[in-house]
Amino acid sequence: MNILDRIVVDKRKEVELRKSIIPMAQLETSVLFNRTTKSLAQRLRDSKSGIIAEHKRRSPSKSVINHSLNVQDVASGYEKAGACGMSILTDAKYFGGSLDDLLLARATCELPLLRKEFIIDEYQILEAKSYGADVILLIAAVLDSAEIKLFSELAKSLHLDVLLEVHNEEELQRSIMPSIDMLGVNNRDLKTFNVSLETSKKLSEKMPDEFVKVSESGISTIAAIKELQPFGYSGFLIGENFMKTDNPGREANTFIKALEE
């Protein structure tokens, strides 16, 4: 089994356990469930920089990135820096995140928040809404077309934006549907962890213009963004580059200022 397969197997067990502890009906009574969400897709359309800044403690490919920062400081730092949105890893076993991180970020900032998670069940979408997310991530590599349709339509009914992540043309072609807002190309192969910006370039011409195009992973320089912008990308997910410093907000601020000059 590759790492992605292992994550999905563990995620199915985790979701079953969570369902047994907090039923769906209880999630819908959350204080945050009826809040008005913010559109990340619209923010990216209106932005010069298009930066989605990530909170990530560790990853299977890099082990520990940063365990010493609290999520509130990171969230307020990203907001002051002018990020368009914030991505929050909520997977505990492989990324050291939690839904509490989402809750704390929501209490701290007004940015659109993306729940970065391996979504394999409708329950996780209700969870995202009840913990204050504005956007969910769907990963084509772990879902079939019927699941993408079901999950994205549920998200839209809850006024959540949907970022669909693809790695190749096959995933892209079977996943494009009206209930998606943003198409994200992950430059990191989730099976080998190799990174190449060529993935974003190659897939850009196959992506219809009505979707906001987002490039993810392996983006650590202004030059990389300038290289991708002519291919129609208006969103750039950056995590490690900011999180490996002792002050991600300050790092994001410097980066965004330089990008907008």
Side-chain angles (χ1 to χ4, degrees), residues 7-33:
I7 290 172
V8 170
V9 167
D10 287 337
K11 192 57 61 180
R12 291 195 191 285
K13 291 178 192 160
E14 180 195 317
V15 171
E16 287 312 308
L17 178 63
R18 294 183 81 88
K19 279 179 173 175
S20 69
I21 299 167
I22 303 175
M24 279 196 189
Q26 195 176 325
L27 290 174
E28 293 174 8
T29 64
S30 149
V31 179
L32 293 169
F33 200 82

Side-chain angles (χ1 to χ4, degrees), residues 2-247:
N2 63 47
I3 185 70
L4 190 56
D5 294 335
R6 284 211 305 277
I7 290 172
V8 170
V9 167
D10 287 337
K11 192 57 61 180
R12 291 195 191 285
K13 291 178 192 160
E14 180 195 317
V15 171
E16 287 312 308
L17 178 63
R18 294 183 81 88
K19 279 179 173 175
S20 69
I21 299 167
I22 303 175
M24 279 196 189
Q26 195 176 325
L27 290 174
E28 293 174 8
T29 64
S30 149
V31 179
L32 293 169
F33 200 82
N34 293 314
R35 65 174 275 275
T36 304
T37 53
K38 299 175 172 66
S39 173
L40 176 61
Q42 195 53 53
R43 289 270 179 109
L44 293 175
R45 280 192 191 97
D46 298 339
S47 167
K48 278 189 199 163
S49 72
I51 300 299
I52 306 162
E54 191 159 82
H55 179 266
K56 177 160 70 169
R57 291 189 180 88
R58 66 172 188 263
S59 76
S61 62
K62 287 281 166 79
S63 185
V64 172
I65 297 165
N66 197 329
H67 275 282
S68 61
L69 299 167
N70 74 57
V71 73
Q72 299 100 308
D73 290 343
V74 177
S76 61
Y78 284 161
E79 186 169 39
K80 285 180 193 141
C84 291
M86 181 173 175
S87 164
I88 298 165
L89 267 299
T90 60
D91 175 81
K93 183 170 181 179
Y94 295 91
F95 291 89
S98 75
L99 277 162
D100 285 343
D101 290 337
L102 187 56
L103 214 48
L104 289 166
R106 179 75 292 146
T108 309
C109 76
E110 293 295 319
L111 291 172
L113 299 180
L114 163 68
R115 181 186 186 188
K116 185 96 173 281
E117 182 56 271
F118 298 85
I119 289 181
I120 43 88
D121 193 293
E122 292 166 283
Y123 180 84
Q124 293 162 287
I125 300 167
L126 292 173
E127 237 179 8
K129 176 79 171 171
S130 70
Y131 278 81
D134 301 278
V135 194
I136 60 154
L137 174 74
L138 297 178
I139 301 173
V142 300
L143 301 169
D144 61 31
S145 297
E147 288 170 320
I148 291 167
K149 185 174 191 296
L150 178 69
F151 296 162
S152 58
E153 287 178 355
L154 171 60
K156 296 316 294 173
S157 76
L158 297 171
H159 307 290
L160 296 168
D161 271 7
V162 178
L163 170 61
L164 177 83
E165 177 179 301
V166 299
H167 298 83
N168 55 45
E169 192 177 342
E170 181 274 324
E171 289 177 1
L172 179 65
Q173 298 301 358
R174 68 174 166 81
S175 308
I176 290 177
M177 50 192 80
S179 42
I180 304 292
D181 301 284
M182 295 164 280
L183 288 171
V185 177
N186 194 337
N187 300 307
R188 176 178 285 118
D189 186 313
L190 289 181
K191 297 186 169 118
T192 64
F193 284 105
N194 294 333
V195 176
S196 170
L197 294 185
E198 292 307 311
T199 312
S200 281
K201 292 180 189 176
K202 198 170 68 184
L203 288 180
S204 67
E205 62 201 42
K206 314 280 184 193
M207 295 156 77
D209 289 337
E210 65 261 33
F211 300 100
V212 174
K213 297 179 189 177
V214 178
S215 187
E216 310 168 24
S217 296
I219 301 165
S220 58
T221 62
I222 304 285
I225 290 176
K226 300 278 191 201
E227 205 180 311
L228 290 169
Q229 282 172 332
F231 289 86
Y233 287 93
S234 53
F236 306 92
L237 187 81
I238 301 180
E240 226 161 88
N241 203 41
F242 301 149
M243 283 299 293
K244 67 186 181 190
T245 68
D246 60 358
N247 191 327

